[in-house]
């Protein structure tokens, strides 16, 4: 049975101020680094066989905390990047709402293609889902930890499970440095074993984008 741990990166200053990151390369802040150091021993105890990460620095640095404990290399995969938020990237959510009110309303309502050059949920799920499957294929029957992003994790996991985006909206968002656990076997295929697992070091405000 293959175990796939899909791990969201630690906190950033843009998380804390509700600024849209998307594929902008924003580093972890002090809280984010603390979160990664706190989570890493819990994941190391699962005895991972491989670590894969988005090439954006907030995910790569999160993965590095686990690599430091396990001695495993971190494989980078650009397909694990967060959803591209088009014309919103770099904006505070309040500014996005003011400048793009129709698109913002559609996004909040869960429209899979809200406009403003934002990557569609279908494209995001296919991109990240393929990367997750390739990561799992590195060590069939092993444990693979993948460090990625909140929106990317949701849609990528949903793609593997075959869940529609309307179903995914009923699942809570991953907190910073929390993870989802999937298992795969030849009979059941991919199935969800746990979601939003981890330790909260202290409350962190902000939207998971």
């Amino acid at each position: 049975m293959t175990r796939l741990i899909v791990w969201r990166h630690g906190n950033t200053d843009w998380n804390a101020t509700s600024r849209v990151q998307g594929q902008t390369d924003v580093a972890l802040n002090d809280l984010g680094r603390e979160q990664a150091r706190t989570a890493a021993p819990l994941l190391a105890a699962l005895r991972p066989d491989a670590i894969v990460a988005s090439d954006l620095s907030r995910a790569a640095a999160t993965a590095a905390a686990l690599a430091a404990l396990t001695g495993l290399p971190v494989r980078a995969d650009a397909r694990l990047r967060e959803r591209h938020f088009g014309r919103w990237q770099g904006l505070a959510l309040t500014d996005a709402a003011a400048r793009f009110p129709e698109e913002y309303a559609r996004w909040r309502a869960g429209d899979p293609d809200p406009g403003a050059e934002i990557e569609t949920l279908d494209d995001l799920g296919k991109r990240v889902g393929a990367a997750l499957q390739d990561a799992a294929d590195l060590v069939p029957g092993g444990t693979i930890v993948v460090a990625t992003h909140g929106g990317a994790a949701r849609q990528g996991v949903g793609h593997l499970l075959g869940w529609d985006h309307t179903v995914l909206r009923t699942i809570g968002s991953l907190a910073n440095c929390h993870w989802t656990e999937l298992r795969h076997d030849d009979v059941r295929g991919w199935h969800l074993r746990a979601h939003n697992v981890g330790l909260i070091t202290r409350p962190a405000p902000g939207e998971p984008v």
Side-chain angles (χ1 to χ4, degrees):
M1 181 177 292
T2 301
R3 177 166 55 179
L4 184 64
I5 305 296
V6 185
W7 188 22
R8 187 185 176 204
H9 64 78
N11 193 254
T12 72
D13 286 344
W14 285 25
N15 285 146
T17 56
S18 297
R19 187 171 296 276
V20 181
Q21 294 178 124
Q23 294 188 7
T24 308
D25 198 4
V26 182
L28 296 179
N29 57 21
D30 289 343
L31 173 58
R33 287 186 286 272
E34 177 187 346
Q35 289 171 330
R37 288 192 298 267
T38 301
L42 302 179
L43 292 172
L46 301 179
R47 299 186 178 181
D49 299 291
I51 305 171
V52 184
S54 160
D55 63 342
L56 296 179
S57 62
R58 57 191 183 273
T62 299
L66 178 59
L69 294 182
T70 63
L72 294 169
V74 177
R75 297 170 182 257
D77 190 335
R79 295 175 297 170
L80 293 166
R81 289 182 177 188
E82 181 59 288
R83 184 181 192 180
H84 194 284
F85 271 83
R87 297 166 69 188
W88 291 11
Q89 291 193 162
L91 296 179
L93 273 178
T94 52
D95 291 335
R99 291 172 57 179
F100 303 92
E102 293 183 8
E103 293 89 342
Y104 183 82
R106 290 167 60 183
W107 173 70
R108 294 295 291 181
D111 189 323
D113 187 9
E117 301 174 12
I118 296 171
E119 185 176 12
T120 70
L121 291 181
D122 185 56
D123 287 346
L124 175 62
K126 290 177 180 177
R127 167 170 65 82
V128 180
L132 293 177
Q133 184 63 62
D134 287 349
D137 290 343
L138 290 172
V139 190
T143 296
I144 303 92
V145 176
V146 177
T148 183
H149 309 264
R154 178 195 294 269
Q155 296 305 135
V157 164
H159 183 79
L160 290 186
L161 294 172
W163 291 0
D164 184 80
H165 70 89
T166 56
V167 175
L168 290 174
R169 278 180 59 80
T170 69
I171 307 298
S173 300
L174 279 177
N176 286 116
C177 259
H178 283 52
W179 59 89
T180 295
E181 179 180 337
L182 301 179
R183 299 280 183 98
H184 184 278
D185 62 52
D186 294 336
V187 176
R188 298 178 60 189
W190 286 109
H191 51 281
L192 180 67
R193 290 295 298 267
H195 177 66
N196 210 26
V197 181
L199 294 175
I200 298 291
T201 52
R202 60 179 183 268
E207 292 283 338
V209 297

